[in-house]
Amino acid sequence: MRRHADLLAVAVLSALLALWCNRWSDGDLITATWFFDAVAGGFPLRRHWLLSGVLHDGLKWLAVLVWLGLLAGWCVLRVRGTAAVLRARLAFLLVASLLAVIAVNLARAQSSHSCPWYVADFGGSGQFFRLLDPRPEEAGPGKCLPSGHAATAFMWLALLPLLAGGWRRLALTGVLLLGGLAGTVQVARGAHFPSHILLSAALCALVVWICAMLARK
């Protein structure tokens, strides 16, 4: 358990920060107002080519291509019957990262929390409500918590159990920076509140930690 304490720390700290942003302060609302144009009644960066086309769609498809490339590599090694250790490591990376994304999307599908651009404070019609509060009657379309796009970055926390020392710290830093970039893009576009990004990180880290614990056994 000590070896994977960094994953558990990411999960716990991210969840606590999400509660602070959403439930214990107005962090979510304040951050959203930075990017909201009250005169235009929307988020000006919502359809910006760099944020929407490159850093949203592009990053998502890059993650898909990398995952499929790793799967293809595992299949080649499996057919050849070589590199058993590398094959096992690739299998863990593929399964843990996929489960992390699935967990985020399952949680999102059940969520009643709406994206900022659907909230009445930011030009929509849904009512903003805080984490752990009952769902209001006019909550909007929901299905926005946690962030699915951020999960395409945080899914690569699955690299950590395969690494040690400086390489592990480097991977952790890189994944968190990538997740921060993906999350900032969505916040700027009005697609998510900061708490949505943080809960995506928390859930991905927790899933990878569970996978690592099971793999040890």
Side-chain angles (χ1 to χ4, degrees), residues 180-200:
L181 173 63
T184 300
V185 165
Q186 291 298 78
V187 172
R189 295 180 62 234
H192 287 289
F193 290 112
S195 62
H196 299 186
I197 311 303
L198 290 162
L199 285 176
S200 182

Side-chain angles (χ1 to χ4, degrees), residues 102-123:
I102 290 174
V104 167
N105 282 281
L106 286 176
R108 181 177 178 176
Q110 302 301 317
S111 172
S112 298
H113 291 266
S114 294
C115 304
W117 55 44
Y118 291 128
V119 173
D121 300 34
F122 305 106

Side-chain angles (χ1 to χ4, degrees), residues 4-65:
H4 304 301
D6 49 1
L7 284 168
L8 203 54
V10 170
V12 173
L13 290 175
S14 296
L16 289 174
L17 283 172
L19 285 169
W20 181 83
C21 284
N22 182 278
R23 184 167 184 82
W24 300 331
S25 77
D26 290 327
D28 274 354
L29 295 173
I30 292 172
T31 305
T33 59
W34 295 345
F35 303 99
F36 179 70
D37 186 342
V39 176
F43 292 89
L45 297 176
R46 179 172 180 174
R47 294 182 176 85
H48 191 280
W49 67 270
L50 177 60
L51 275 65
S52 178
V54 178
L55 295 176
H56 180 263
D57 297 345
L59 186 60
K60 176 181 68 176
W61 287 112
L62 177 61
V64 171
L65 289 174

